[in-house]
């Protein structure tokens, strides 16, 4: 068995926000490899978040962000208790999401909130463009599906790549905080204002 130093546990705890025993166990399981231990904790966090996703979120906060007096965002982000709503980690998450909205301009929270007629219209546009480009009929459906996925990653907040780390989605950020705080967290609504629009 690999000997795990107190310093390694402390380092992992600072990076992940997980408890001391969780960090020690992850390091043991990873044979002392810090990156593997972080991945183990992340997977555990995803499992925890999945179990909490149906819990009611009635508390939370309204986050406001204004960028250079030209773009403004109001975001309602919810959690289960007022205790978590006042937590610094939750507040930081709200700030990061508001910044994401200002920078990337999503139109919807998630794909299930997009009106069906908008999705149908998008499919028609993609199909027409593909036909005009001379794509063979036998691959049209796959082309439409692929481009529709790209559309979702552009217009849906939860599916967008995080502006500070392109390898992670906004939904990943939320899941990480759910895992650390032990409560369900959801984005309820947002509005983005652009000066002159």
């Amino acid at each position: 068995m690999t000997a795990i130093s107190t310093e390694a546990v402390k380092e992992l705890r600072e990076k992940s926000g997980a408890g001391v025993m969780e960090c020690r166990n992850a390091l043991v399981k990873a044979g002392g490899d810090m990156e593997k231990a972080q991945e183990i904790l992340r997977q555990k966090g995803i499992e925890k978040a999945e179990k909490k996703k149906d819990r009611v979120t009635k508390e939370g906060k309204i986050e406001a962000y204004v960028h250079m007096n030209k773009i403004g965002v109001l975001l309602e982000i919810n959690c289960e208790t007022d205790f978590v709503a006042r937590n610094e980690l939750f507040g930081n998450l709200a700030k990061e999401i508001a910044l994401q909205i200002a920078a990337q301009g999503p139109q919807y929270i998630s794909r299930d909130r997009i009106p069906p007629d908008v999705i149908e219209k998008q499919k028609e546009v993609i199909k027409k463009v593909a036909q005009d480009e001379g794509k063979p009929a036998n691959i049209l459906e796959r082309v439409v599906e692929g481009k529709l996925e790209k559309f979702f990653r552009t217009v849906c907040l939860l599916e967008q790549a995080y502006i500070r780390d392109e390898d992670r989605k906004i939904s990943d950020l939320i899941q990480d905080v759910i895992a650390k705080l032990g409560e369900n967290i959801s984005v309820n609504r947002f509005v983005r204002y652009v000066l002159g629009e």
Side-chain angles (χ1 to χ4, degrees), residues 45-60:
I46 289 169
E47 289 166 18
K48 282 183 188 174
E50 195 60 33
K51 289 176 187 168
K52 293 175 179 21
K53 74 176 183 181
D54 293 327
R55 294 190 353 199
V56 178
T57 54
K58 294 264 187 204
E59 295 295 332

Side-chain angles (χ1 to χ4, degrees), residues 62-77 94-106 157 187 189-195:
I62 304 288
E63 183 67 34
Y65 173 74
V66 177
H67 183 73
M68 298 177 70
N69 293 322
K70 301 242 186 266
I71 298 172
V73 172
L74 282 175
L75 163 72
E76 180 184 342
I77 184 167
K95 285 185 179 73
E96 288 300 310
I97 292 175
L99 181 65
Q100 176 83 20
I101 294 166
Q104 298 299 96
L157 172 66
V187 174
R189 57 189 162 168
F190 66 83
V191 64
R192 180 178 184 265
Y193 299 99
V194 179
L195 190 68

Side-chain angles (χ1 to χ4, degrees), residues 10-162:
K10 187 178 177 193
E11 183 185 343
L12 183 58
R13 187 163 157 61
E14 284 170 5
K15 286 181 178 178
S16 68
V20 174
M21 287 312 293
E22 276 187 299
C23 290
R24 180 172 294 288
N25 292 340
L27 281 163
V28 167
K29 196 171 180 181
D33 185 312
M34 189 63 68
E35 283 187 24
K36 281 184 186 171
Q38 282 181 281
E39 183 56 29
I40 289 166
L41 289 175
R42 201 175 81 70
Q43 284 304 321
K44 268 189 155 182
I46 289 169
E47 289 166 18
K48 282 183 188 174
E50 195 60 33
K51 289 176 187 168
K52 293 175 179 21
K53 74 176 183 181
D54 293 327
R55 294 190 353 199
V56 178
T57 54
K58 294 264 187 204
E59 295 295 332
K61 69 180 294 184
I62 304 288
E63 183 67 34
Y65 173 74
V66 177
H67 183 73
M68 298 177 70
N69 293 322
K70 301 242 186 266
I71 298 172
V73 172
L74 282 175
L75 163 72
E76 180 184 342
I77 184 167
N78 301 108
C79 55
E80 295 175 47
T81 64
D82 62 341
F83 176 75
V84 165
R86 294 190 305 266
N87 184 285
E88 185 181 351
L89 201 55
F90 182 79
N92 288 342
L93 175 66
K95 285 185 179 73
E96 288 300 310
I97 292 175
L99 181 65
Q100 176 83 20
I101 294 166
Q104 298 299 96
Q107 296 167 24
Y108 306 95
I109 293 169
S110 58
R111 65 175 72 189
D112 61 335
R113 300 246 192 131
I114 301 175
D117 59 313
V118 171
I119 295 174
E120 282 311 309
K121 186 168 175 127
Q122 190 65 28
K123 281 182 181 175
E124 287 170 25
V125 168
I126 294 168
K127 194 170 188 174
K128 172 124 179 48
V129 169
Q131 286 170 333
D132 291 350
E133 289 174 352
K135 300 275 192 240
N138 63 335
I139 67 159
L140 271 181
E141 266 322 297
R142 281 195 318 236
V143 169
V144 170
E145 280 179 33
K147 298 256 186 199
L148 199 57
E149 284 300 314
K150 190 173 183 187
F151 169 74
F152 291 142
R153 288 193 303 270
T154 303
V155 302
C156 298
L157 172 66
L158 298 181
E159 297 190 35
Q160 285 185 338
Y162 177 37

